[in-house]
Amino acid sequence: RSTLFPYTTLFRSVGGLSAVRLLSLILILLVAFLLHGVSRRLMGSRAAAFFAVALFAGLGPTQFLGALATFDVLALTLLALAKRLGVRAAEQSPAGRYTLVCASGLAMMLADAAKYAAALFDPVVVAVVILAIWRLRGRSAGMTAGGAMVAAAGVPLISGYYLVGSSFRRGVLVTTLDRPSGSDSAGSVLALSAHATGVIAVLAVLGAVLCMFRLRSGPERALVWMLAGAEFLAPAEQARIHTLTSLFKHVDFGAWFACVVAGY
């Protein structure tokens, strides 16, 4: 099993498959709402935020996650929430900042529990939060907040890994950490990724290049490239293990981050 929260079983028992699909639709709408808030704050433009959401909503993988009963949409929602809380923390006083980054860390931990593969994007979330705070509050504030976020996510996650039981640990190893390689070529993985979200990859890289002329500080420049680079994580990982399985879902995670810059 690739999740610690088999919530689809509960909703199916209450309202059938339609209830689970309705929940997926509600969650993907929440993901789009969170994308708008993150884009507006990071790029400083309502227009960029609008286009970020429009691009994300137009993707086939997004519509796929919003229509079917999968664990991935809950994980993406929690990752989006983690990033939104972390970006919002940059504007707060120290007490409010650490409260929000700890809440962000907990949301990231729950995302990993909802879908173990979501952990691939944890470094992106943490780096974006550090850089968002760094550019407004300085390097020391950014690094300290990042440490608090990692601790808030890591302590319960590591504790749970050893306390839940051997079946959980075996599930994490088999489905994520020690997943067996498939027989698909790296070229086929990259081709499907390009077909699914290639337009976002191109626009995100172009957006990052344009930002190099508009932005002057190092943290801001690193931030836009970090967001654009997230688009390539899932294709690279699945090309490494030579499998197309779940690729059409996983590329949407990276696209969500990249849409912030692509919208710009």
Side-chain angles (χ1 to χ4, degrees):
R1 179 180 292 172
S2 61
T3 179
L4 192 60
F5 301 143
Y7 68 96
T8 55
T9 304
L10 172 63
F11 275 82
R12 187 176 296 141
S13 65
V14 174
L17 184 59
S18 297
V20 187
R21 290 184 170 180
L22 179 60
L23 175 63
S24 295
L25 174 61
I26 293 171
L27 290 176
I28 206 68
L29 290 173
L30 178 57
V31 169
F33 172 77
L34 293 168
L35 174 60
H36 186 279
V38 168
S39 300
R40 183 163 54 85
R41 278 184 161 76
L42 290 182
M43 306 311 298
S45 168
R46 291 183 180 273
F50 169 81
F51 283 111
V53 173
L55 287 169
F56 181 73
L59 290 174
T62 300
Q63 297 167 23
F64 180 84
L65 289 182
L68 298 184
T70 68
F71 304 122
D72 302 76
V73 66
L74 176 60
L76 180 56
T77 303
L78 290 166
L79 276 180
L81 178 61
K83 184 176 169 184
R84 179 69 178 85
L85 291 172
V87 170
R88 184 73 176 85
E91 303 170 359
Q92 303 298 308
S93 63
R97 186 185 314 146
Y98 290 113
T99 299
L100 286 179
V101 295
C102 288
S104 177
L106 289 174
M108 187 171 67
M109 179 271 295
L110 291 173
D112 295 345
K115 179 75 174 183
Y116 305 149
L120 178 65
F121 297 92
D122 287 356
V124 179
V125 177
V126 174
V128 167
V129 172
I130 290 174
L131 292 168
I133 296 175
W134 184 342
R135 68 175 186 166
L136 293 180
R137 305 292 181 179
R139 181 176 63 180
S140 178
M143 298 302 292
T144 304
M149 183 178 175
V150 170
V155 171
L157 194 63
I158 294 173
S159 300
Y161 180 80
Y162 287 103
L163 292 176
V164 169
S166 59
S167 61
F168 168 60
R169 294 195 292 272
R170 190 179 307 114
V172 174
L173 290 173
V174 172
T175 65
T176 307
L177 297 180
D178 195 24
R179 186 172 178 171
S181 296
S183 57
D184 301 305
S185 67
S188 64
V189 173
L190 298 178
L192 179 58
S193 300
H195 176 72
T197 61
V199 64
I200 302 300
V202 171
L203 290 174
V205 171
L206 289 175
V209 171
L210 289 174
C211 285
M212 294 296 288
F213 296 96
R214 182 176 73 90
L215 303 175
R216 292 292 178 261
S217 73
E220 289 180 315
R221 291 180 172 185
L223 178 61
V224 295
W225 282 110
M226 182 65 64
L227 292 167
E231 166 64 27
F232 302 96
L233 286 180
E237 170 61 17
Q238 298 210 205
R240 183 186 68 83
I241 60 176
H242 298 283
T243 181
L244 293 169
T245 303
S246 297
L247 176 64
F248 199 62
K249 297 182 294 181
H250 293 167
V251 292
D252 208 41
F253 284 66
W256 187 89
F257 290 92
C259 275
V260 175
V261 189
Y264 171 79

